[in-house]
């Protein structure tokens, strides 16, 4: 049997190869799942692209209004397909990713700019939905509307992983197939529309619950963006005045605490409630039998 010889001309010892095997397998697994060293990732280009989608002005506002009205119609007629169609054209994720990028890169101006545009987008969305449901005579509580009146554990997870997919796709500048799926997954539009519906019919249970769901989803999308931006080590914003830079870092740390602490607390509350509800439903199904007439 001939002995194998490597490219350097030296004989390979089979025992040495076996010893190196676990390390080689681990390196391969890491290379499969890692994207931090990807040559296609250009932080400067990604930052510029995200910044370009933050501002809500002109055509962006009208696209948002159209998507909100389509989503409201879908909720009104209880059509999942129409709701999905509305989310495909929604530009609402731009400011949310901008907030995450600002926090991840210590860019306080970007955080403020993104928050302002997030507020504009939110107000425009709720107002458009409110006017639609106020004008339309059809105000039935469809199953699609009722599904967005309070958060569920899966809603939170969908928002986080949807946001994660979105920022990973943005880092690769490959939004062609991923962002539409993210827009569906994060479900930002329906809660806003239900908020407008609740205001139109004057039911606080609807508009408070739906708006809470929207804010919670937004927080977890923002959190996913922060995680990826930090993981990819995007360049941090620098300031000439070191005292100002220190103060800005304190402000951002405070903002991050505001995002993380309530999100963690609410996540636990929703998780406990979901587990209790599921356990109760299982108990009723298994132990309580219907009375035969």
């Amino acid at each position: 049997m001939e002995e194998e010889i490597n490219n350097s001309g030296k004989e390979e010892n089979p025992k040495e190869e076996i010893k190196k095997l676990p390390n080689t397998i681990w390196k391969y697994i890491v290379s499969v799942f890692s994207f931090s060293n990807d040559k296609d990732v250009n932080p400067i280009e990604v930052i510029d692209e995200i910044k370009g989608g933050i501002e809500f002005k002109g055509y962006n506002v009208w696209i948002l209004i159209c998507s909100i009205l389509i989503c409201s119609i879908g909720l009104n007629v209880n059509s999942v397909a129409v709701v999905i169609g509305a989310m495909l054209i929604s530009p609402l994720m731009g400011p949310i990713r901008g907030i995450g990028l600002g926090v991840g890169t210590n860019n306080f101006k970007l955080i403020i700019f993104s928050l302002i545009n997030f507020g504009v987008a939110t107000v425009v969305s709720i107002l458009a939905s409110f006017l639609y449901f106020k004008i339309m005579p059809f105000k039935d509580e469809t199953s699609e509307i009722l599904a967005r009146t309070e958060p569920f554990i899966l809603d939170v997870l969908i928002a986080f992983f949807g946001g994660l997919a979105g920022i990973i796709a943005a880092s690769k500048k490959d939004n062609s197939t991923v962002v539409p799926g993210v827009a569906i997954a994060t479900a930002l539009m329906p809660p806003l529309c239900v908020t407008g519906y609740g205001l139109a019919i004057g039911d606080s249970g609807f508009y408070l619950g739906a708006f809470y769901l929207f804010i919670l989803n937004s927080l977890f999308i923002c959190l996913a963006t922060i995680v990826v931006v930090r993981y990819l080590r995007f360049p941090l914003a620098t300031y000439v005045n070191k005292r100002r830079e220190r103060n800005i870092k304190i402000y951002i740390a405070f903002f991050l605490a505001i995002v993380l602490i309530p999100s963690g607390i609410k996540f636990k509350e929703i998780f406990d409630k979901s587990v209790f509800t599921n356990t109760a439903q299982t108990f009723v199904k298994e132990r309580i039998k219907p009375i035969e007439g």
Side-chain angles (χ1 to χ4, degrees), residues 30-31 33-38 41 104 164 168 171 224-234:
V30 170
S31 69
F33 289 96
S34 176
F35 59 93
S36 59
N37 297 321
D38 200 316
V41 177
L164 200 62
I168 291 173
S171 69
T225 304
I226 295 168
V227 169
V228 174
V229 166
R230 290 288 187 178
Y231 173 72
L232 293 177
R233 297 180 181 177
F234 277 29

Side-chain angles (χ1 to χ4, degrees), residues 151-161 213 216-217 220 267 270:
F152 186 63
I153 184 64
L154 297 181
D155 296 321
V156 175
L157 294 177
I158 288 170
F160 179 78
F161 290 113
L213 174 59
L216 200 62
N217 282 352
F220 275 87
F267 181 86
I270 295 168

Side-chain angles (χ1 to χ4, degrees), residues 265-280:
I265 293 171
K266 292 302 178 184
F267 181 86
K268 186 179 184 305
E269 288 179 0
I270 295 168
F271 180 81
D272 292 341
K273 183 178 179 181
S274 300
V275 169
F276 174 79
T277 302
N278 186 62
T279 304

Side-chain angles (χ1 to χ4, degrees), residues 4 8 12 26 30 51 87 96 101-102 105 111 119 127 144-145 160 173 186 197 214 255 260 278 282 284 292:
E4 293 183 359
S8 63
E12 290 286 349
W26 174 249
V30 170
K51 285 182 178 178
M87 287 187 281
I96 300 173
L101 176 64
T105 58
I111 295 173
L127 183 60
E144 283 296 307
I145 290 176
F160 179 78
K173 298 188 69 177
T186 50
Y197 171 80
F214 167 72
F255 178 84
L260 292 177
N278 186 62
T282 303
V284 170
E292 295 180 1

Side-chain angles (χ1 to χ4, degrees), residues 56-256:
F56 268 87
K57 191 176 181 180
Y59 76 93
N60 261 356
V61 174
W62 286 104
I63 291 175
L64 178 63
I65 291 173
C66 290
S67 63
I68 279 290
L69 292 176
I70 293 171
C71 186
S72 297
I73 294 169
L75 293 172
N76 209 181
V77 299
N78 208 35
S79 172
V80 177
V82 176
V83 172
I84 291 174
M87 287 187 281
L88 288 174
I89 63 173
S90 169
L92 195 58
M93 277 190 65
I96 300 173
R97 288 201 304 197
I99 296 169
L101 176 64
V103 174
T105 58
N106 291 338
N107 192 330
F108 191 68
K109 286 185 178 179
L110 183 59
I111 295 173
I112 299 300
F113 180 67
S114 301
L115 283 171
I116 291 171
N117 283 279
F118 177 70
V120 170
T122 302
V123 171
V124 168
S125 300
I126 294 175
L127 183 60
S129 178
F130 168 77
L131 291 175
Y132 169 82
F133 284 110
K134 199 70 175 175
I135 294 170
M136 287 294 167
F138 316 109
K139 295 181 175 63
D140 295 335
E141 297 175 3
T142 63
S143 60
E144 283 296 307
I145 290 176
L146 292 172
R148 272 84 183 193
T149 55
E150 62 177 344
F152 186 63
I153 184 64
L154 297 181
D155 296 321
V156 175
L157 294 177
I158 288 170
F160 179 78
F161 290 113
L164 200 62
I167 188 61
I168 291 173
S171 69
K172 285 279 291 179
K173 298 188 69 177
D174 181 22
N175 294 339
S176 56
T177 58
V178 179
V179 167
V182 173
I184 296 169
T186 50
L188 296 171
M189 304 297 289
L192 278 178
C193 293
V194 175
T195 302
Y197 171 80
L199 290 170
I201 65 172
D203 191 326
S204 61
F206 277 93
Y207 64 75
L208 290 178
F211 189 70
Y212 171 61
L213 174 59
F214 167 72
I215 292 297
L216 200 62
N217 282 352
S218 301
L219 283 174
F220 275 87
I221 294 169
C222 180
L223 180 60
T225 304
I226 295 168
V227 169
V228 174
V229 166
R230 290 288 187 178
Y231 173 72
L232 293 177
R233 297 180 181 177
F234 277 29
L236 303 178
T238 56
Y239 301 87
V240 177
N241 189 326
K242 294 300 178 182
R243 184 178 179 182
R244 176 175 171 78
E245 182 177 358
R246 186 174 64 254
N247 290 337
I248 285 175
K249 286 182 178 179
I250 292 172
Y251 297 151
I252 291 175
F254 181 71
F255 178 84
L256 193 58

